[in-house]
Every structure is written in C-alpha cells, then in structure tokens.
Amino acid sequence: MGAATSPSAIAAGTITSINPATGQPIGEVPDMGADEVRAAVAAARTAQKDWARLPLETRCRRIARFAEVLMSRAEEVIDLLVREGGKTRMEALGMEVVVVADLVRYFAKHAPEMLAPEPVPLHLMKHRASYLHFVPRGVVGVIAPWNFPFSIPIGETMMSFIAGNGVVLKPSEVTPLIALKAKELFVAADLPPDLFQVVTGRGGTGAALIDAGINYCVFTGSVATGKKVAAACGERLIPCTLELGGKAPAVVCGDADIDRAAQAITWGGFANSGQVCASVERVYAVESIHDSLVEKITKQARELRQGDAGAQDVDVGAMAWDRQVDNVETLVDAAIASGATVAAGGKRRAGAGMFFEPTVLVNCTQDMDVMRKEIFGPVIPIMKVQNEEEAVRLANDSHLGLLAYVFTRDRERGKRLAERIEAGTVMINDVLNTYACPETPWGGVKHSGIGRTHSLLGLRDLCDTRHVNHDRVALGREVWWYPYKEGTFRALLRGARLLFGKRPWSR
Ligand code: NDP
C-alpha cells in the first residue's frame, strides 16, 4: 500500500496517523528501517528463549492476564479504534475487543490439551510407537492490514505467545497507534516487554521483517502483497500463513426466510463500512424471492445512519483509507455504466472524512468488476438467478474463496449447497461471525490464501510439529537389517503378499 496514503500525511521518516472520519491527524510514529527491524527480531528472540522454557500452563495463565487488562481498559481501546479506524463503537467492541478477549480466554484454557503430545497409532509396526509434540517456532512475524487493526494481529500475536513464540508485529501504516496501544496493554499485564515488538512503517518495513530472520510469518492482507510475501518467504524457506482477499457470495434460495436473509446481508455488507474480508460482496437471489429481497435490503440501507462514530450514534462509520474510497467509487461507477441500477446510496459523501454511502446495486451481471473484484467498501451488488444451481455455479466462478453464505429454511439442503461452494468457510443463514469463534478455522481456498488461523489447526501451525518414534518391546535386531539373506527375503515377500495382495478369502 506504501505510496498510497495521502502524501500530506507523510513526513520524512515518520508516518502520521489520521482520523478518517475527520481527516485530522491523531499521532505520529517512526517509519522503521531494516536495522531497527533486525534489532526488534533479535530482542524478541532473546526474550523468547526464557518464555519458551516456561511450562505451557504458566504461559497460558500469564497471557490470560492480557484479557483482564484489555477488558479493564476496553473504553480506551475502543476510543482509539473509533478515532484511528473510523469504526463504530459497537464494531470496535464486538469485532475487535471482545474477539481478542474471548480468543485469549479460549486458548489459555484449551491450549494445554491442544498442544499435548499426541500418540500416532502405528498400524503395522506394532512393536514400536510414535507421538507428535509441538515446539515453539521461535520468532513469529505478524504483518497486518488496517481493517481490523486489533483483532487480526493481536489474536495471532496472543496465540503465538501461548504456543511459546516471540512476536514482531508490523501493523498497517494506516493504523499503527492501535498496535502500540496493544503493546502498552501487554506491558501493563506484566508480560515480558521484549517478547512483543511492534515495528511501525510502510510496506518496506514488512519486507524487512521477512528478511530479519523470523521463523514464521503470519500475513493478512491483499492478494497482490500476499504473493510478494509468499515469494520472499519462499526464497528464505520461511513457512507462512497467508490470509488474503475475499469475495463472499450470498446464495439466497427460494425457500429462504427473506426477513432474516435481508437483515443478515445488509449487516454483512455494511458492517465495518464493508471493509471486511468476509463481507457479503455479491448476492445471487433466486428469481422467486429476488424482488422482495431487494426491497427489504434497500429499505434497510436507506435507513442506516452514517457518520463520525466519535461524535454521534451511527450505524456505518468512516472508511479507514482514502484510496479505498477511490477504489469503491471506481467499481460502482463502472457497474452503473454497464447497466447496474442504484437502489440505495451510490456515491462518496461530500465534506470532510472518508465516507461512501451504503450502496445497493441491482441488475448486476457476473461480468461486471463489482461482481468479480474485491470491493472492500459498503456496497451490496445483487444479481437475479434462475435457481440455486446457477447461484452455486456463479458463486464458484471466482479466483477467491474465503467465506460464502447460503440462505434457506431447509438445513440439509443448505449443507448440501454449502459443501459444493469453494470457500474456506460457508455459513448457513448467518454472516461474518465465525471469526469470533476461536475454535473454528479461518482461511481461504484459491487466491484467498494458504493455511488457517484460529482453531487447533492455527495454533499448531504456530509450532513445529515434531515426531518421536520409540520401541515398545526390546528386540535385539530388526529382520530387515544386515546381513540380507535369501530366506528372510522370501519370508518377507510371503508376508507382504498376504498383507497387501489379493486376500485369499476374497478369491
Ligand atoms: P496490503 O496487502 O496492502 O497490506 C497488508 C500489510 O502488508 C500491511 O501492513 C502492509 O504495510 C504490508 N506490506 C505491504 N507491502 C509489503 C511487502 N512487500 N512485504 C511485506 N509486507 C508488506 O493489505 P491492506 O492493508 O490494504 O488490507 C486489505 C486486504 O486485506 C484486503 O484484500 C482484505 O481482503 C485482506 N484481508 C484478509 C483477511 C483474511 O482473514 N483473509 C482479513 C482482513 C483483510 P502498509 O500498510 O504499511 O503498506
């Protein structure tokens, strides 16, 4: 994103954080270079060695303290999320603060069983036994976007600590202050200060982090940057998790509860000003319910209150970044030029701040960019389809596959459709909120990314999985060791035929 922030917001060697709802500066951070990043990784590595030596239960107990401090200072964190991220207070609480507090509590309670050594039953070599054990990776580099500047990086960071790692976090240049606030809470929770490093800067700082000797990288951001990160990690053979873009389809079946579907889609399309990787980004509505669905979504969209959440009660806050408003405007204008109709909103809001009106587009077609490219703004494009088959085909006609939604009253049918949709997660009759379920995996297929965060899978990815194989009975030697003998060969061949060949009883 680097050069994209308003040039006026950038002074040499520093980055100014802007309140997107007012356009006013709210703070300044250094734009750190490679030397500072290397020093941060080295400090985290030193602290990590002591941290990893603590029993897992002790680490869990100490990290749980972060949730306590976070909740005791929740209003201060929410206030900063509103000022730096442009979000509403409800979103700052529900989508950022509570998500992290719950995740910390969940993993602090369950990590000991999730990371306990796991036996691997051997089906053939019964005289031996295997087990897996999970060892901290070392220093994890967390590179984060601006749309959820607290819940995304701090969730990953806390899971990394529980797994026994140190963390160096590179927040987005758009939202650095909230990362520094998280570090402040970490220190207030009496956790080892050096274990958690925050390196502020632009894209170059993120690239420098990958080059600074980290042992694992958790990247969340766009597909374009994700490819660069994957290449840089590949060159250094650093394992990584990539959480990239989404283009979540909502398939609305003929038998759906239309009131619930309309409310869910409206919230799923406009929450956080549509800047959610899981946002409802395209709707395929079966023709029998299309008009009624459009009417309900349009009515709700027109009733939403938009504005500076720091100054008044609003439903839709500001967008976090001026260039994102330009992207949204380009996509909406192009869709209108190609025949889409504006049912609500349709344009950027005049005056100060970065706002795009909650927008509903109808008569959309699959070839429009608004149906194919990630919008990442408060826009719900709707397309009429003949039936569910067409809806599923179009839902899968995308290079992205993070989240998808199905609305139907028939749960079994919903599951059958869900299993055919190419996405990391498909929700039936609901939207967005599995990110708030730390026990479920989060991640995409196709260009939406590689690997999973959250859940047992995400926690174990933050560890090296190592395998120990040991004897169960003391044998002098194995039959396949030296010296090789014809008699042993014959016996083994007979045994192998018996085991793997055509079974005599099935002749
Ligand atoms: P970007 O890809 O622009 O940036 C993500 C992070 O990478 C930022 O911290 C950025 O720094 C940094 N960065 C930029 N260039 C490099 C580089 N060469 N090497 C290493 N790091 C670099 O994404 P956005 O911040 O614009 O976030 C929006 C995107 O994130 C959307 O596509 C959205 O779908 C996706 N996303 C995915 C999620 C998921 O769970 N799958 C969740 C949330 C968002 P800087 O900002 O300073 O340039």
Side-chain angles (χ1 to χ4, degrees):
M1 206 172 62
T5 305
S6 319
S8 59
I10 299 172
T14 61
I15 296 171
T16 303
S17 179
I18 303 286
N19 179 337
T22 62
Q24 294 304 308
I26 55 170
E28 209 165 71
V29 298
D31 181 5
M32 293 187 181
D35 289 346
E36 288 150 301
V37 173
R38 278 198 176 278
V41 172
R45 189 173 302 290
T46 304
Q48 186 265 341
K49 292 201 187 323
D50 289 338
W51 180 250
R53 274 195 280 271
L54 296 175
L56 175 56
E57 287 74 7
T58 308
R59 295 201 300 261
C60 289
R61 207 174 47 250
R62 292 194 58 189
I63 289 296
R65 176 96 182 96
F66 182 85
E68 290 168 21
V69 173
L70 170 60
M71 291 322 297
S72 70
R73 294 172 61 176
E75 270 153 357
E76 176 188 333
V77 176
I78 289 167
D79 180 56
L80 186 56
L81 281 162
V82 169
R83 283 191 299 127
E84 191 175 49
K87 352 191 136 241
T88 65
R89 293 173 68 74
M90 276 286 282
E91 289 159 358
L93 172 65
M95 296 178 155
E96 302 263 17
V97 170
V98 166
V99 168
V100 172
D102 180 48
L103 174 144
V104 166
R105 287 278 181 202
Y106 176 80
F107 283 105
K109 181 168 176 203
H110 294 286
E113 75 216 45
M114 289 172 153
L115 297 184
E118 184 177 301
V120 181
L122 299 181
H123 76 288
L124 197 56
M125 297 202 187
K126 296 290 184 193
H127 63 303
R128 300 195 60 82
S130 275
Y131 67 90
L132 308 178
H133 67 126
F134 306 97
V135 179
R137 296 257 186 198
V139 176
V140 176
V142 175
I143 303 178
W146 42 265
N147 62 327
F148 289 108
F150 193 72
S151 57
I152 290 176
I154 305 309
E156 289 310 317
T157 297
M158 293 302 142
M159 285 176 69
S160 297
F161 292 143
I162 284 177
N165 301 295
V167 169
V168 181
L169 164 61
K170 151 65 180 88
S172 167
E173 69 196 59
V174 179
T175 50
L177 298 183
I178 195 69
L180 294 170
K181 176 64 71 183
K183 167 79 192 244
E184 205 183 303
L185 303 184
F186 185 79
V187 174
D190 204 21
L191 287 153
D194 279 353
L195 192 65
F196 182 19
Q197 304 281 330
V198 178
V199 290
T200 52
R202 303 194 174 89
T205 309
L209 178 55
I210 298 169
D211 195 38
I214 54 173
N215 305 99
Y216 195 82
C217 179
V218 182
F219 172 82
T220 309
S222 62
V223 175
T225 311
K227 287 181 182 173
K228 289 185 203 166
V229 167
C233 287
E235 209 170 292
R236 293 158 183 82
L237 285 180
I238 300 168
C240 61
T241 302
L242 302 173
E243 292 289 346
L244 311 179
K247 185 72 191 163
V251 170
V252 188
C253 300
D255 68 346
D257 173 341
I258 301 302
D259 284 324
R260 182 172 173 91
Q263 285 184 50
I265 289 169
T266 305
W267 185 68
F270 299 142
N272 209 43
S273 269
Q275 304 163 119
V276 187
C277 50
S279 279
V280 176
E281 285 250 343
R282 50 199 171 118
V283 177
Y284 299 108
V286 167
E287 55 189 0
S288 58
I289 50 84
H290 171 272
D291 292 356
S292 140
L293 183 78
V294 166
E295 188 191 319
K296 288 175 194 292
I297 294 175
T298 303
K299 181 169 181 301
Q300 288 172 38
R302 288 185 181 152
E303 286 168 357
L304 293 173
R305 300 158 301 166
Q306 187 177 40
D308 175 4
Q312 66 210 47
D313 264 354
V314 294
D315 304 306
V316 181
M319 295 184 64
W321 179 38
D322 50 3
R323 195 160 112 193
Q324 196 50 36
V325 185
D326 298 342
N327 288 345
V328 173
E329 189 172 48
T330 303
L331 287 170
V332 169
D333 288 352
I336 295 167
S338 309
T341 313
V342 176
K347 55 184 189 311
R348 114 181 15 232
R349 230 180 60 166
M354 305 170 197
F355 293 94
F356 199 90
E357 295 173 348
T359 295
V360 180
L361 296 176
V362 292
N363 299 326
C364 294
T365 52
Q366 185 73 358
D367 56 338
M368 293 176 180
D369 276 354
V370 80
M371 295 293 281
R372 307 197 72 84
K373 293 186 175 170
E374 190 178 38
I375 308 168
F376 227 56
V379 179
I380 300 176
I382 304 177
M383 178 173 168
K384 188 190 287 186
V385 293
Q386 283 184 338
N387 50 38
E388 288 80 6
E389 284 306 308
E390 186 184 8
V392 169
R393 183 175 59 75
L394 294 172
N396 288 339
D397 175 26
S398 172
H399 66 297
L400 298 171
L402 186 60
L403 267 280
Y405 308 109
V406 175
F407 290 89
T408 172
R409 281 197 167 93
D410 180 342
R411 195 171 301 142
E412 291 310 312
R413 180 170 178 237
K415 288 188 202 165
R416 284 196 298 276
L417 291 173
E419 287 173 21
R420 288 172 54 202
I421 296 179
E422 296 158 1
T425 294
V426 183
M427 295 185 76
I428 301 169
N429 297 327
D430 204 349
V431 289
L432 305 188
N433 64 33
T434 64
Y435 195 79
C437 306
E439 58 275 67
T440 64
W442 185 268
V445 300
K446 301 195 270 191
H447 284 198
S448 286
I450 296 174
R452 295 291 178 266
T453 58
H454 293 179
S455 77
L456 175 83
L457 303 177
L459 185 66
R460 287 192 175 176
D461 273 355
L462 296 166
C463 304
D464 275 329
T465 299
R466 297 197 192 155
H467 171 207
V468 175
N469 178 270
H470 64 89
D471 48 357
R472 296 173 65 211
V473 286
L475 295 180
R477 63 182 291 276
E478 301 291 343
V479 287
W480 51 83
W481 287 358
Y482 296 136
Y484 295 154
K485 290 184 183 153
E486 184 59 18
T488 316
F489 171 78
R490 289 271 148 220
L492 284 175
L493 181 59
R494 261 199 314 278
R497 282 205 171 113
L498 212 60
L499 284 168
F500 313 123
K502 194 165 166 58
R503 305 287 208 257
W505 55 90
S506 65
R507 271 189 197 125

